[in-house]
Amino acid sequence: MAKFELKLPKMGESVAEATITNWLKNIGDSIAIDEAVLEIATDKVDSEVPSEVSGILIEQLFGKDDVVKVGQTIAIIETEGVATELPQSATVVKPSEVEVQKIIETAQATVAPADFKTSDKFYSPLVKNIATAEGISISELESIIGTGKDGRVTKEDILKFVGSRKLEAGSQPATRNPQPVTFNSQPETFNPQLETRNPQPISLNGGDEIIEMDRMRKLISGYMVASVQTSAHVQSFIEVDVTNIVKWRDRVKVAFEKREGEKLTFTPIFMEAVAKAIKDFPGMNISVDGDYIIKKKNINLGMAAALPNGNLIVPVIKNADQLNLVGMAKAVNDLGNRAKAGKLKPDDTQGGTYTVTNVGTFGSVFGTPIINQPQVGILALGAIRKVPAVIETPDGDFIGIRQKMFLSHSYDHRVVDGALGGSFVKRVADYLEAFDVNREY
């Protein structure tokens, strides 16, 4: 008999790890080729890991909720054939890393307490064990600003915190004490992460029902709070006349679907205008890394999509500026359909540089969307409405019925000032109002 190592497969660019959410096969179960063995979750997408061979599952190397790196062996499957010796991994420790390694080894031998379940942030088992071994409380752990994906606290983050805490404990008081930030004339140090983690007690009565958030809702909750704490949100609003777009779509949508096999919604038209505006204002196509600004080469538009279970996901249209309207419509429909069906791949939600969300789908006129980190802007599309409007003509002004909508632009005031943020959304509006009703699709 031979033994086959089932490894966590590569799931796309920038996806380095995943969390095991459920084992579909137990030890002793038979497995067929391409049959799903377990379910995993990345930051936003759930997936299944199929077996590359048929055989019997004889060992599970990780449990539910464990975080596994891409390429790590997660299970052993016994197959028919000549037995092979499983390779043993060796750990090489540099002399300068001895102290760090001692902390990690101590943490790995320590079982993390159940108190971590009171936190709505996600921490890997290693981070929780290091926190336990070093006596780091929940409030201290939540105060650490993570440098990992979507603000996740990494091993390096917590080790840096441990080192700085020990340094502060052994140092003498500084000769100059900076004045604390004051609010309402009462001196206190303000920490937004700690402030949000001390909510007022909620009173319950006998008819109330307590429901735990699912995994994705917890992730979304963490992302939203982290974004508000990270970016200085500012909004600009502009009303747009899209009468020509509505008339053109009504005229061509049947022929478009017949020729292309795709429905033509308003979304790809708006996405096309946003991509053009980003090319005109590349300062919106950036991200922030500490004190550095990263200018993105590609224009990858995130498209916020509501899921049937009420959660939210943001698939990404890669190189959106290179697509014509037909290509944009196909990309929008494909990502939207796969999002609703739960068929998105991890790479489908990675690499976004700017996000568009359609709040008008639910009848909202405008909104104040929260930035999708580490981006610096997000545009909300309001509902299209028939409204009375002043129409200017060479013969004078008159009142007419027009199709109008609001564009709501949230941007990060740390790096985007009002001139850029306002000019960008104005340019999007200009492209929409100048839409050519005689254009071919």
Side-chain angles (χ1 to χ4, degrees), residues 393-413:
T393 71
D395 298 326
D397 299 342
F398 66 92
I399 301 296
I401 303 300
R402 306 295 289 177
Q403 301 268 10
K404 289 196 171 187
M405 64 181 294
F406 280 97
L407 302 179
S408 309
H409 186 212
S410 293
Y411 48 95
D412 190 344
H413 211 337

Side-chain angles (χ1 to χ4, degrees), residues 9 84 350:
T84 58
Q350 303 295 325

Side-chain angles (χ1 to χ4, degrees), residues 1-3 53-56 77-83:
M1 303 296 287
K3 294 182 179 180
V53 298
S54 59
I56 305 296
I77 299 174
E78 190 174 63
T79 64
E80 294 183 359
V82 180

Side-chain angles (χ1 to χ4, degrees), residues 371-385:
I371 296 169
N372 187 14
Q373 297 295 327
Q375 300 166 23
V376 298
I378 181 172
L379 185 69
L381 309 173
I384 298 175
R385 302 167 300 136

Side-chain angles (χ1 to χ4, degrees), residues 37-107:
V37 179
L38 68 158
E39 295 175 340
I40 59 173
T42 61
D43 288 337
K44 294 182 179 180
V45 180
D46 295 342
S47 305
E48 294 179 343
V49 177
S51 174
E52 301 174 38
V53 298
S54 59
I56 305 296
L57 180 64
I58 61 173
E59 190 173 357
Q60 297 173 346
L61 301 182
F62 294 91
K64 184 178 178 181
D65 296 329
D66 283 350
V67 178
V68 185
K69 300 290 184 182
V70 170
Q72 275 190 292
T73 302
I74 51 182
I76 305 298
I77 299 174
E78 190 174 63
T79 64
E80 294 183 359
V82 180
T84 58
E85 183 179 355
L86 295 178
Q88 295 182 349
S89 59
T91 303
V92 179
V93 182
K94 299 179 181 179
S96 59
E97 299 175 345
V98 171
E99 184 176 353
V100 171
Q101 189 64 23
K102 286 182 179 179
I103 295 175
I104 296 175
E105 290 174 352
T106 302

Side-chain angles (χ1 to χ4, degrees), residues 101-145:
Q101 189 64 23
K102 286 182 179 179
I103 295 175
I104 296 175
E105 290 174 352
T106 302
Q108 288 174 332
T110 306
V111 178
D115 291 346
F116 286 104
K117 294 183 179 179
T118 63
S119 174
D120 58 5
K121 275 192 171 184
F122 177 84
Y123 299 105
S124 69
L126 180 57
V127 168
K128 290 190 287 188
N129 291 337
I130 291 175
T132 301
E134 294 298 317
I136 298 174
S137 65
I138 285 290
S139 60
E140 288 179 309
L141 187 59
E142 290 178 337
S143 70
I144 300 175
I145 300 176

Side-chain angles (χ1 to χ4, degrees), residues 22 59 73 95 103 115 137 165 175 212 226 258 287 325 380 427:
N22 185 37
E59 190 173 357
T73 302
I103 295 175
D115 291 346
S137 65
R165 191 172 66 164
T175 56
E212 183 180 3
K258 183 178 180 180
S287 62
L325 187 58
R427 184 62 55 85

